[in-house]
Each structure stands twice: as C-alpha cells, then as structure tokens.
Amino acid sequence: MTIRELYNEAAEDGHYSLCLLIEFLAAEKRVITPNDDASVLDYYFQPRFHRKMNEYLAAYEQKRMAMQKVAATKEEEGEGNLEPFK
C-alpha cells in the first residue's frame, strides 16, 4: 500500500491524526512522497518519537488552520484559491 492509498483510506474513515501526520511529513518536512510504501511511516510510530511528534503535529495543525483561515478570507474577498494542499 502506498502513502497515497493510506491517506485516502484514512480520510474516508475519519482518521484525522493519521492524515495530519502524512500531510506534515509530506508537505512540511518533505521526507515522504505519495508513492512511497506506507511502511516508511513505521519509523515515525516508534515510541521514542511520540512526545516530540505530538508537539510537531500540534504546531503544524495550528499553522494549517491559520493558513485555511487566511484562504477563506481571501476567497471571500475574491482573491482566488490559496488552499495549501491542492
């Protein structure tokens, strides 16, 4: 299974945290690609990374929400689509 397939399944099943992790690693850190095997995520699921990864994801989620808020404001003002993941 690829990262893309896993992401699509996670989105369909409502696994927000997994989607956020994949987006963070792909878009922010650029350490995975959609065509990578999903097993590359096993490295990031190691217990030694849980605390720090949760901190990273919380910060990324805030950044992402701020970007979406700006995009919504710009769209209301007629300035086009500024969504970060399209």
Side-chain angles (χ1 to χ4, degrees):
M1 172 179 283
T2 66
I3 294 291
R4 176 180 284 118
E5 293 167 338
L6 180 62
Y7 181 86
N8 289 337
E9 279 189 27
E12 287 175 13
D13 294 341
H15 297 288
Y16 178 77
S17 296
L18 181 55
C19 290
L20 189 65
L21 174 67
I22 292 170
E23 289 174 12
F24 173 73
L25 294 173
E28 189 76 10
K29 293 297 183 181
R30 299 180 191 262
V31 294
I32 63 172
T33 66
N35 295 323
D36 287 344
D37 190 81
S39 64
V40 300
L41 294 177
D42 293 344
Y43 177 79
Y44 301 97
F45 288 131
Q46 294 180 57
R48 64 185 173 141
F49 296 131
H50 285 184
R51 185 179 52 79
K52 195 63 177 175
M53 188 58 72
N54 284 337
E55 291 175 20
Y56 287 143
L57 291 178
Y60 177 69
E61 182 177 33
Q62 289 179 351
K63 177 181 175 182
R64 183 175 171 240
M65 291 173 105
M67 289 170 57
Q68 288 175 342
K69 191 174 186 178
V70 167
T73 302
K74 296 291 184 183
E75 191 171 316
E76 288 174 8
E77 295 172 359
E79 294 186 31
N81 183 2
L82 298 176
E83 290 186 37
F85 301 109
K86 290 231 173 182

